[in-house]
Amino acid sequence: MSDRVPLVCGNWKMHKTVEEAVALVDGLVQRAEGFQGVEVAVAPPFTALHAVAKRLGGKIRLGAQNVHQETQGAFTGEVSSEMLADVGVGYVIVGHSERRAMFAETDAVVRDKLRAVLHGGMRPILCVGETLAQRDADQTLEVVAGQVEAALQGCTPSELALAVVAYEPVWAIGTGRTASPDDAQRVHAHIRRCLGGLHSDVAGRVRILYGGSMKPDNAAGLLAQPDIDGGLIGGASLQVEAFSGIIAAARASTR
Ligand code: PGA
């Protein structure tokens, strides 16, 4: 068991009106007594951030799903890190594979967004992961290492200590397929070795989350692995029952 506090973060993607978001977060807050020993965060869509922030009662942290890399200006449709911090956001997801694939985010863009998050005084959740073709070609470790290094190179030790990495195999996201606990552990251990190559003294403190069809019934096996420090949850974070089940598994993994 490590001394890293597990983090379970819900990525709501493009789901939930304000009213639905508030209902979901209220349901979670009601169960927050059961979250002890686990850090819990939710990342609603931008439109619901402000309303959700007001319901969290210090029990759950607020995340955002994206940020623009510039601080302000003529960037129609974009949201800056200052704006996110202003509504109480503490974590910002960067480099999600959906953004890399559908919104053309390159490693360089992801790195700039990660820098913007740190400058805004928040913590980045950097997503990395291989596609099915890359996995079949046995390139997983190389691809993931490249993404980690491209985004985090140049971080100071204290910046790296604030970062969270989420390993999300692209083929497992929203598909119902998960990496086996052993496969995921192998990649997580490799990510930690890469972090060690950047700053060996902080690599042991950085949380590395697993994401990709994590559900209450497969969470325990994944979270029992020594280098899996929590989860980034899509589909299962949209319901109080399922999300709480994963948090319970994270809690059990600390005992
Ligand atoms: P999923 O999504 O849990 O629905 O697979 C995870 C993610 O994309 O962060």
Side-chain angles (χ1 to χ4, degrees):
M1 198 182 90
S2 80
D3 54 5
R4 296 181 291 271
V5 175
L7 171 65
V8 178
C9 180
N11 172 13
W12 295 0
K13 307 193 180 184
M14 199 170 73
H15 295 286
K16 307 284 178 190
T17 61
V18 171
E19 195 180 329
E20 291 163 352
V22 165
L24 174 52
V25 84
D26 284 353
L28 293 171
V29 167
Q30 268 169 25
R31 296 188 177 216
E33 298 240 312
F35 300 171
Q36 269 161 28
V38 180
E39 199 178 337
V40 177
V42 292
F46 287 145
T47 47
L49 281 174
H50 187 54
V52 167
K54 291 198 280 193
R55 319 293 288 204
L56 297 173
K59 299 190 167 77
I60 297 175
R61 298 196 199 275
L62 189 61
Q65 300 173 24
N66 187 23
V67 65
H68 190 65
Q69 55 271 41
E70 300 294 337
T71 51
Q72 61 176 338
F75 301 102
T76 301
E78 296 296 327
V79 173
S80 74
S81 61
E82 188 189 358
M83 293 166 186
L84 295 179
D86 184 44
V87 291
V89 168
Y91 286 99
V92 184
I93 299 168
V94 296
H96 192 282
S97 62
E98 286 154 14
R99 297 213 57 86
R100 291 180 192 258
M102 290 187 268
F103 303 98
E105 287 192 7
T106 60
D107 277 339
V109 169
V110 173
R111 178 182 182 281
D112 288 347
K113 291 190 171 199
L114 183 134
R115 305 281 342 143
V117 173
L118 289 168
H119 281 136
M122 298 169 291
R123 305 176 69 139
I125 300 178
L126 168 68
C127 300
V128 299
E130 83 286 3
T131 62
L132 190 56
Q134 290 165 332
R135 183 179 187 84
D136 289 344
D138 210 11
Q139 294 168 342
T140 299
L141 298 184
E142 186 186 323
V143 166
V144 164
Q147 291 171 335
V148 166
E149 279 154 17
L152 293 171
Q153 215 143 44
C155 278
T156 63
S158 53
E159 287 173 341
L160 186 63
L162 289 172
V164 174
V165 179
Y167 169 55
E168 300 204 305
V170 177
W171 49 270
I173 295 176
T175 59
R177 292 179 62 193
T178 43
S180 71
D182 286 349
D183 272 359
Q185 165 58 26
R186 179 173 148 262
V187 182
H188 281 234
H190 189 65
I191 292 172
R192 202 172 302 286
R193 276 195 294 278
C194 296
L195 299 174
L198 298 173
H199 293 294
S200 56
D201 44 338
V202 288
R205 277 155 50 199
V206 176
R207 284 166 305 175
I208 307 176
L209 316 183
Y210 173 81
S213 298
M214 196 189 261
K215 311 279 179 218
D217 59 358
N218 61 26
L222 289 158
L223 293 165
Q225 299 299 314
D227 287 294
I228 302 187
D229 309 313
L232 183 57
I233 321 298
S237 73
L238 298 173
Q239 288 157 358
V240 174
E241 233 6 87
F243 193 52
S244 304
I246 294 173
I247 297 164
R251 193 174 174 196
S253 76
T254 65
R255 295 205 186 110

